[in-house]
Amino acid sequence: MDAGTLLWILAVILVIAGIVAIFRGQMLWGIVLIIVGLLVGPGGVSVFT
């Protein structure tokens, strides 16, 4: 696996963790996790490209 694949997996985990946090009532923490996941992810907004 290359670094891009690892970052993509990490981003998915962060977004899922954020969604779970929101469902548990931790709105701020959930939003932070989702935003970080989107920034790390393979989309056009990745901070590593």
Side-chain angles (χ1 to χ4, degrees), residues 1-48:
M1 285 196 294
D2 62 352
T5 304
L6 291 175
L7 284 175
W8 191 86
I9 293 170
L10 178 64
V12 170
I13 292 171
L14 285 171
V15 171
I16 292 172
I19 292 169
V20 170
I22 288 173
F23 276 112
R24 288 183 168 183
Q26 300 169 328
M27 187 66 72
L28 181 62
W29 183 235
I31 291 171
V32 168
L33 284 172
I34 291 171
I35 291 172
V36 171
L38 292 175
L39 288 175
V40 172
V45 294
S46 178
V47 292
F48 294 108

